[in-house]
Amino acid sequence: MNEMTSIAVTGHANITDASKPLIGEALVSRLARRPAAELTGMSCLAAGADRLFADAVLALGARLVAVLPSWDYRERMVDPAHADEFDPERAATPEDFASGRADPRRPPYDPSS
């Protein structure tokens, strides 16, 4: 029987454009040490490191689970200019979870972080 690995990541939102490819490549390299069929990545899909991680998980064909601070997180917190990054990642998650809070802003956001 193969051992399943689940990895959850949260990180900085403000990452320079020059850093994004370097971080993305490093994440793919590190995550590729496990077979995709045995890997689950968990992310709140926030801008920055969280999305780079989600992209790396999906690039490897592994399972991605969204852990959101509320079900209306996109409407309340995702900048419309970044919806084109958030939406495909959210659509690629076979399942997701939310904290059950009505408002994703702090302090209700904290339990999901």
Side-chain angles (χ1 to χ4, degrees):
M1 182 169 98
N2 295 333
E3 184 177 323
M4 296 297 294
T5 300
S6 295
I7 301 173
V9 169
T10 187
H12 293 282
N14 298 321
I15 298 175
T16 66
D17 288 340
S19 298
K20 288 178 182 179
L22 300 172
I23 295 168
E25 290 169 16
L27 286 166
V28 167
S29 174
R30 181 71 175 172
L31 292 172
R33 296 178 184 179
R34 299 286 305 172
E38 299 174 13
L39 178 65
T40 296
M42 301 171 71
S43 171
C44 67
L45 306 180
D50 297 24
R51 288 206 192 122
L52 290 173
F53 173 76
D55 289 342
V57 169
L58 294 174
L60 293 169
R63 181 172 167 253
L64 177 65
V65 176
V67 181
L68 305 174
S70 71
W71 290 118
D72 61 351
Y73 175 73
R74 183 192 186 282
E75 291 75 21
R76 288 183 178 237
M77 299 298 291
V78 175
D79 183 327
H82 298 280
D84 62 332
E85 299 168 11
F86 178 86
D87 291 342
E89 292 165 349
R90 177 75 188 274
T93 61
E95 62 183 298
D96 48 31
F97 302 93
S99 68
R101 304 285 181 126
D103 187 344
R105 295 169 291 192
R106 297 204 188 279
Y109 184 91
D110 292 335
S112 297
S113 297

